[in-house]
Structures are given as C-alpha cells and as structure tokens.
Amino acid sequence: MPTATFNGLNFHYERAGEGPRLLFISGTGGDLRVQPNVFASPLARAFDLVAYDQRGLGRTDKPDVPYSMADYADDAAALLDHLGWDEALVLGVSFGGMVAQELVLRHPSRVTRLVLACTSPGGEGGASYPFHEIEDLKGEARARHLIPISDTRRDATWAAAHPGEYAKLIELTAADPFAGEPGRAEGAHRQLEARAKHDTWDRLPDIACPVLVAGGRYDGIALPETLEKMAGRIPGAELRFFDGGHLFMLQDRAAYPAMIAFLKA
C-alpha cells in the first residue's frame, strides 16, 4: 500500500480508477481498512480516485499533539503535491467537508470543483453535532445514542417497530475493530479537538470554484438548515438534499450520480 511522507508524518493513501482526478476526504474516524470503503463506491468507476487516512487515523501516523483544521488542509495539499497533481476535484464528507473548506480557502488554486457533503461551516453558520461531548460513550452505548441523531427517522418508535433492523444498526455502529491499536484513542481525540474549533463561516464568500452542498433530509448531525446557510454564503453554490440521514450517500441511489454529474460538469 502506498505511503507518503510530508509535514513530518507518514500518510497512508490509496488510488484506483481512471478519469478526472478526484481527492476524497473522509469523515470523523475515517480508516481505509474499514470495508466497504470509498473504493467500493461509484466514484472509483468514474474518476482517478485518491483517498487517504488523515493524521491520527488508520495507518497514518498518530502524534499525540494538538492538530488544527489548517494542519488537515495542508496535509491534503501536500498529498496533491506528492501525487504531482496541480489541481483536483475534491469531495469532502462530514469532517472531510470541513477539511475541504479549509483546503479551498487556504489553497484555492488546487481545487477545481468541490462537493461538501453532510458537513458544516461552524461559527455563526452552525456546527455539526458535538462529538467531542460524547467522547466517553463507547460501543453499544454510543451506537444507541447516535442512531436517532444520524437519521432522525430512527427514533424510539421506529426502533420498537423494527427490532431486527435496529439490532443490526447497533452492531454495525458499535463496531470498532481497531480500538486497541497504539495511538488510536489519542489520534481520535486530537481529531475531535480540531473539529470542535472548526469555523469557516466568515471566509466562505471567498470560495471561488463551483460548489455543490449536499446532505440528507433527515440528518441530525449536519442539519439541513445549516447546509442551507452554508450554501447561501458560498457564491453560486448549488444545494441538493437526498432521501437519507448522515449516510445519505448510501441511502439514496440518486446521490452518487448527482455528485458525479456535478464534478464532471
């Protein structure tokens, strides 16, 4: 598996597919070892796709020092340098969308078109759900807490009416096969620290490339009203909602085709 060294750290990344160059930036806790990952999605059939484990995550180095959102954005730009890509399409999901905002603001010439999926601007525009406040919740307790937030249709009434599906969701959401790895907890904590300070609201009008803001109608993590505010503050941004929650990309079959069409326009 390819690795690259930049900004003082060793980064794990993967690449597949053919077509326009697309950098995918993953969400909170993103780890390419967790299957299925983005390379099982339609993106890998439509683009020359690169994805990576961000600092503190997966098979990338996990220094136990403070991280900033600027650090994450500069990591993404340095990966583009390593690949020899002067510019790229960018798709950032959830936390990755926060990184993508910083990337396009700090390195505007590197991003040609941008999809911001189920994310937030922070500040006066509104923040995504404060994961740093539930860092103590683990396993099933965390799953039970997050399921009705990730998709607001999955409330207690729904859970009682669909016990089998609810149990499966708990099993999937609670799974953390790499929980005991050295540095895993520290890296995850440092990511949440940086996430809590994310704020691009005042700078969003500076984004000049075409932007699609996409989200789920039932997302309680990146709220629809927050996405509306963000899209309204980015010049010329398009806004699309899909039939799902925070995982709308997996829930609505129209989501990937819509994002691919935008990126290839």
Side-chain angles (χ1 to χ4, degrees):
M1 295 296 180
T3 60
T5 301
F6 46 80
N7 296 340
L9 302 175
N10 296 308
F11 286 79
H12 172 84
Y13 72 95
E14 297 178 22
R15 183 177 183 179
E18 297 179 354
R21 295 167 171 175
L22 173 63
L23 178 67
F24 178 86
I25 309 178
S26 61
T28 302
D31 186 331
L32 284 168
R33 293 173 296 183
V34 177
Q35 301 294 327
N37 63 27
V38 67
F39 291 97
S41 80
L43 297 176
R45 299 188 292 275
F47 300 98
D48 179 358
L49 173 66
V50 168
Y52 64 109
D53 290 336
Q54 299 188 72
R55 60 171 59 209
L57 303 174
R59 284 168 281 186
T60 289
D61 287 350
K62 307 171 181 65
D64 191 14
V65 298
Y67 307 162
S68 69
M69 295 306 297
D71 290 333
Y72 285 102
D74 291 348
D75 291 343
L79 177 57
L80 295 180
D81 290 339
H82 173 80
L83 295 167
W85 292 5
D86 292 334
E87 59 185 23
L89 306 166
V90 175
L91 197 168
V93 176
S94 194
F95 175 81
M98 302 175 197
V99 176
Q101 292 166 56
E102 285 288 348
L103 173 63
V104 74
L105 288 165
R106 291 176 63 82
H107 307 275
S109 67
R110 311 304 297 272
V111 183
T112 56
R113 296 181 78 85
L114 173 63
V115 175
L116 299 174
C118 52
T119 190
S120 70
E124 293 182 12
S128 292
Y129 185 82
F131 286 140
H132 58 283
E133 294 182 2
I134 61 164
E135 196 173 355
D136 59 312
L137 291 179
K138 307 296 182 185
E140 285 196 14
R142 181 181 178 86
R144 292 180 186 278
H145 183 83
L146 284 178
I147 286 170
I149 298 172
S150 179
D151 189 324
T152 57
R153 297 170 296 182
R154 309 294 195 241
D155 58 12
T157 300
W158 176 89
H162 303 84
E165 190 173 347
Y166 182 56
K168 185 63 174 178
L169 272 177
I170 291 174
E171 180 183 354
L172 291 172
T173 308
D176 187 357
F178 308 108
E181 277 188 345
R184 164 71 172 77
E186 291 81 3
H189 171 72
R190 294 300 187 178
Q191 185 187 36
L192 293 181
E193 280 186 332
R195 183 182 182 277
K197 298 175 183 177
H198 168 67
D199 183 358
T200 59
W201 178 249
D202 291 339
R203 294 174 285 151
L204 290 180
D206 296 335
I207 298 177
C209 72
V211 176
L212 170 64
V213 176
R217 296 186 182 92
Y218 309 102
D219 190 348
I221 293 175
L223 300 177
E225 52 264 40
T226 300
L227 296 178
E228 290 174 353
K229 290 179 184 177
M230 182 165 60
R233 196 161 176 81
I234 299 172
E238 298 180 30
L239 175 65
R240 287 283 304 271
F241 286 110
F242 296 92
D243 188 24
H246 201 59
L247 299 179
F248 76 91
M249 296 167 68
L250 302 178
Q251 294 173 299
D252 189 335
R253 292 182 179 179
Y256 273 118
M259 292 186 290
I260 290 170
F262 172 82
L263 289 166
K264 286 192 167 185

